Amino acid sequence: NDHHRSPSFTMETIPSTVFEVHVAKEDFKFNAAHFVAFDGFREPLHGHNYKVKVRLLGQRNHIGADGYLIDFGEVKRVTKQVCKKLNSHVLVPMLSDVLNIHIGAVDLPPSTTTITTTTTSTTEDETQRDKPTQQQLTMTCQDGSIFSFPLQDVAQLPIVHASSEELAVYIWSEVLEQVTPKYLRDERGIHTMEISVMEAPGQEARFSWRIPTTGSEARLDVPSFVGKAGKKPSPCFPASKICFCAQREEETRSSKVVQQQMVERLVASMSKAGITGKDDAPLTCQEIENFLKD
């Protein structure tokens, strides 16, 4: 898709940088739940207090006539809006290749509304029951886990994994689309923008990309930045648990075989000693116990 094609460049094509601005405000933050899932792996559902930083690199040897590389206010306004859109949501990677994502209406428990009608002589209570529906997003994982959330509580993101790295690419596109490449590149002489996403203190991902020449290239195609799996990842905890259960089941079967063999040897020893069940009936537990005591 040409609209989502990620622009290519080499380090040699990036102009030397003279001026930079870094914007990292206290309200560049959002609280969200997520889990990372790929083939054979799934994190437990958990949350982070994410923080976002923006870095802009200029290509000129001078700043604008207003004394700015860029007005901080423009960057702050847009970045706050992006963070607000993600805040208090579950981050859903709609392009995941391991999650089965479904959106549909579900019936909610019927609500009871009491309507009171007053007349000159009587009061009539009428109970009305309805069956409202709600749009729900459901994610089914490889390990069989199913997550279901009200649609208004999720952020449907064009990413493959809900990782900080892919969030940085997504936020880069969101910020650039609103500020526009024309404004940054042509009017302010900014050639590169970097987005940092911090999910915990001292733990952040950074994505830096050149400002494209056209607005049609403002939205990057996140999957184009995701490599293909080589070595199969280690299984997640639920998968390990399943494997552990299978191992235990196999151990139980082996144990039963050993027990059966021991019983057969015991019965053979008792027969050799002339001890058999009465009238060829199977040996009783008491007879076996008496034999072992002797």
Side-chain angles (χ1 to χ4, degrees), residues 10-290:
T10 63
M11 294 304 295
E12 289 73 17
T13 63
I14 301 179
S16 59
T17 297
V18 178
F19 289 97
E20 296 183 13
V21 296
H22 297 242
V23 191
K25 305 299 291 182
E26 182 60 31
D27 48 6
F28 286 9
K29 62 183 180 181
F30 59 94
N31 307 319
H34 86 133
F35 61 85
V36 173
F38 50 82
D39 188 21
F41 178 89
R42 180 183 69 78
E43 289 182 316
L45 180 67
H46 62 284
H48 293 289
N49 298 319
Y50 292 94
K51 292 186 177 180
V52 176
K53 294 185 289 187
V54 182
R55 176 174 173 241
L56 298 165
L57 288 69
Q59 65 187 30
R60 297 172 180 165
N61 58 4
H62 61 271
I63 51 180
D66 52 9
Y68 300 145
L69 176 61
I70 188 173
D71 185 350
F72 286 134
E74 285 295 312
V75 181
K76 291 191 292 185
R77 177 184 62 82
V78 171
T79 309
K80 287 178 186 178
Q81 290 176 357
V82 175
C83 290
K84 184 177 180 180
K85 187 165 67 171
L86 298 173
N87 189 50
S88 298
H89 284 77
V90 180
L91 307 180
V92 178
M94 297 301 290
L95 303 181
S96 171
D97 55 356
V98 296
L99 299 176
N100 185 357
I101 301 174
H102 173 73
I103 298 174
V106 296
D107 291 334
L108 296 178
S111 61
T112 302
T113 304
T114 301
I115 301 177
T116 303
T117 304
T118 305
T119 63
T120 55
S121 58
T122 61
T123 299
E124 180 182 2
D125 289 338
E126 297 179 354
T127 301
Q128 294 183 344
R129 297 179 180 273
D130 54 7
K131 292 183 178 180
T133 61
Q134 175 176 275
Q135 288 293 309
Q136 201 84 354
L137 183 143
T138 302
M139 290 185 287
T140 304
C141 308
Q142 283 183 323
D143 61 10
S145 300
I146 299 176
F147 298 91
S148 184
F149 304 99
L151 192 59
Q152 66 268 23
D153 291 348
V154 304
Q156 301 177 58
L157 305 180
I159 59 180
V160 184
H161 314 90
S163 64
S164 295
E165 290 84 349
E166 293 189 35
L167 283 174
V169 181
Y170 165 76
I171 293 174
W172 188 96
S173 296
E174 288 289 303
V175 172
L176 185 60
E177 278 195 333
Q178 294 189 51
V179 180
T180 74
K182 183 178 186 303
Y183 176 71
L184 291 181
R185 191 180 184 93
D186 299 341
E187 299 182 30
R188 307 308 307 189
I190 293 171
H191 64 77
T192 300
M193 179 168 65
E194 179 182 278
I195 297 293
S196 299
V197 176
M198 182 171 68
E199 62 179 26
Q203 189 172 314
E204 68 180 59
R206 298 178 182 177
F207 174 75
S208 182
W209 202 253
R210 189 178 183 183
I211 304 299
T213 56
T214 63
S216 62
E217 295 179 310
R219 178 157 297 280
L220 299 179
D221 179 35
V222 177
S224 69
F225 293 94
V226 180
K228 302 300 181 182
K231 181 180 178 182
K232 189 173 179 62
S234 301
C236 62
F237 173 74
S240 300
K241 186 175 180 180
I242 293 172
C243 293
F244 178 70
C245 291
Q247 180 181 358
R248 287 291 299 273
E249 185 177 346
E250 179 61 31
E251 290 174 354
T252 300
R253 285 197 296 266
S254 299
S255 177
K256 288 181 177 179
V257 171
V258 172
Q259 291 174 7
Q260 180 63 31
Q261 291 173 345
M262 290 178 64
V263 170
E264 290 175 355
R265 287 199 297 269
L266 177 61
V267 170
S269 297
M270 292 179 69
S271 297
K272 202 173 194 179
I275 302 174
T276 58
K278 295 180 180 180
D279 300 326
D280 293 330
L283 290 167
T284 64
C285 292
Q286 186 62 50
E287 289 172 332
I288 295 175
E289 185 176 349
N290 292 337

